[in-house]
Amino acid sequence: MKDRMENPKEKIYSILEKIASEMGINDLNFSVEKPKDATHGDFASNVALALAKNLKKNPLELAQEIIKEIGSSNAEFEKIEAVSPGFINFYLSLKYLQNQAQNIIEKGDDY
């Protein structure tokens, strides 16, 4: 039994780090942050911009490739979008948020 729920920011970072590694880039310096503007999703990453420098590719096209690689199998996300110049915005699904809230309620003081 986990003591803590999985942090969605850490999960996104891990997914993106794995994809970067599969593209042949290790130890990439990129971020996953909460956007200042909520219309840009729950989290945003500059991973495509960082990869573009190393791979000498268009960052927006790389962002779109990364989104295809992530696929729609991640139920945590309602939507993942690529935006210019190469950011990736992640929107958490309502079902994921409801599950997180239910876990907190069930754990009570143990949370």
Side-chain angles (χ1 to χ4, degrees):
M1 184 165 148
K2 282 179 147 180
D3 290 334
R4 295 213 46 151
M5 295 179 303
E6 186 170 63
N7 180 329
K9 179 178 175 178
E10 291 172 5
K11 178 169 182 151
I12 292 167
Y13 191 93
S14 177
I15 290 168
L16 296 176
E17 192 173 46
K18 181 177 185 277
I19 291 170
S21 178
E22 290 169 357
M23 292 180 165
I25 307 295
N26 294 306
D27 300 320
L28 184 67
N29 185 15
F30 69 96
S31 65
V32 175
E33 300 293 331
K34 188 120 179 96
K36 291 177 185 168
D37 183 343
T39 64
H40 295 160
D42 295 297
F43 295 96
S45 179
N46 66 344
V47 68
L49 294 165
L51 279 170
K53 292 176 186 175
N54 289 290
L55 299 175
K56 299 189 181 3
K57 289 187 172 183
N58 177 300
L60 188 56
E61 290 174 9
L62 264 175
Q64 292 164 341
E65 285 178 36
I66 291 167
I67 291 169
K68 283 182 189 167
E69 190 70 29
I70 294 170
S72 59
S73 62
N74 287 293
E76 295 94 342
F77 308 116
E78 176 184 323
K79 175 172 78 168
I80 306 171
E81 66 181 4
V83 294
S84 186
F87 290 99
I88 301 175
N89 295 339
F90 295 83
Y91 297 79
L92 297 175
S93 72
L94 181 58
K95 181 176 175 120
Y96 173 78
L97 295 172
Q98 288 170 334
N99 286 341
Q100 293 289 71
Q102 186 61 40
N103 287 337
I104 292 168
I105 291 167
E106 288 172 3
K107 291 182 187 230
D109 292 338
D110 294 332
Y111 175 72

